[in-house]
Amino acid sequence: MIHARKLSRNFTVKKETIEAVRGVDIDVPAGQLIAFLGPNGAGKSTTLRMLTTLLPPTAGTATVAGADIATDPAGVRARIGYVGQKNSAGEDYRVRDELVAQGRSYGFTWAGARRRADEVLDRLELAPFAKRKPGTLSGGQRRRLDIAMGLVHRPDLLFLDEPSTGLDPQSRADIWAHILRLRGEYGMTLFLTTHYLEEADRMAERVVVIDHGQIIADGTAEQLKQDLAGDHITVTTHDEADAATAAEVAARFARPDAVSRDGTAVRARVPHATAALPEYLRALDEAGVKAATADTERPTLDDVFLALTGRSLRENDTETPAA
Amino acid sequence: MSMKFVNDTGTVFVREFTPALREPLGLLITMGQPLLFLLLFGSQLDGAVAFGGGVSPWQWFVPGILVMMCLFGPMGAGYNLLIDMMGGAMERMLVTPMNRAAMLIGRTLKESVILLVQAALIIAIAMPMGFRLYPVGVVAGLVLLVVFGVGLGALSFVLAIKAQPSGSLFWIVTQVLMFPLLLLSGVLLPMDAAPAWLRAASVVNPVTHIVDAERALFAGDIADVSVLYGLVSATAIAVVGLVWGTRLMRRGI
């Protein structure tokens, strides 16, 4: 569905060249739900804007839904849907009027566009708001409208740029329920960007981590966590001598460099923490060490990001984007 | 012109026009404003300026007021685009396969339609007051105005695109440009009485030539040389505006 090679984009800001996207290669098979994960300014949106023909690349090529973004942008546009970060319905227009205009933009007849507008209004539970202006809708309703706009022409591939950003948890869950249901109904390929780790973790079949304009990891959330962060077990003892012994014992379960001790706390990275912990405790017993507390930690995608970049995505979340 | 281009232009035009039809009060006020101008200002002209030859001042004033409206309407068209760009509406349209030039022209057509209705109203009101109607000249004059308006509208879109993201550049440029263009064009008063330097400035103002052309056309002088100058000015503005605007949209906003 998507084949991108060496996709790059530079911006010139105050005579300085900024490489926003640096040689992105990506292949997305039909039907996949793929999440682009990265901090603000990592190049997620810029990549998306290139794939959706909004922005010509500085270098590199891509075919999207069978058409080349450079030589046949109209072909790409006809086959993809796009839900941008901002609200896609104009402020001064009624909800249904905008959906009709959207259908017309994709070559529907007026009658066909009206019929389809009513369909998507129903599908996204927006029918009661057909005559309202977007400004009178709640954040979650507006986002549903954006998705409805992106689905009017039944695209095979839908791009969603931060679909749930800025929504309250309930609306986020609601938007996701709609996205997943529609995906089931239409069999679409979904390509979305997010900086919500939990979202990428729970929803996406494949997570692509991007940082400083380059892809730094690509796989299922499980794979990434397993390969790049791993499970950890943590045990504390009553004194440091015990802790030292405990660390030696831990080395039998994990690679020596994956064991660390801090005072009376021993932390070890192991393949499967929940299975390893009981065994480890038994081994400690045999060695005459009494554990005071024991805990397992499953990694999050943030740990993956931390392992890859030395930075936490969460810290980045709260930072304002660099000027 | 392909069918798709015509369809897309129609779609954009209908989208732009629908809110006005949904809330016609704003439309009525827009339509009414030039009439106010005509009655309140035009009536003062009636006695104040001697036009000679027994020509009604309305003959002179009506085309001027139409050009003035043609400046305000299309220049304001960029404002709607600015709003659509600051939200996500423009981006959403750019992702559709819609024709790029149609997106610009469809938007300016709304102003053109309003302008034509306003023109009809103004002429209808001015006729009992002494305005003489030369149908061929008036139709030619309105076509010229629409060409000028589409060009101005497109330039206003260029400005709106360049003014992103804050939009303040749009206001600065339109406010700084609008009145000199208007005052130097002789829309309100004949330039004949102006000092030499002002007249020189007036000659390089494209709006002057359009005003002159409109006056000739509304007086029925279709073959007047000023019509040619006006046509060249309006066409040049339209071509520059549309080429520039379409290019900007292709390159990514």
Side-chain angles (χ1 to χ4, degrees), chain B residues 106-135:
Chain B
R107 279 174 179 270
T108 54
L109 279 188
K110 175 198 172 190
E111 313 300 332
S112 305
V113 167
I114 291 177
L115 186 74
L116 291 178
V117 176
Q118 282 175 327
L121 272 174
I122 287 172
I123 290 169
I125 288 182
M127 270 171 71
M129 295 191 283
F131 175 80
R132 233 185 113 191
L133 182 69
Y134 297 92

Side-chain angles (χ1 to χ4, degrees), chain B residues 150-166:
Chain B
V150 167
L152 261 189
L155 284 177
S156 150
F157 296 148
V158 168
L159 189 58
I161 292 167
K162 294 277 184 195
Q164 284 190 105
S166 75

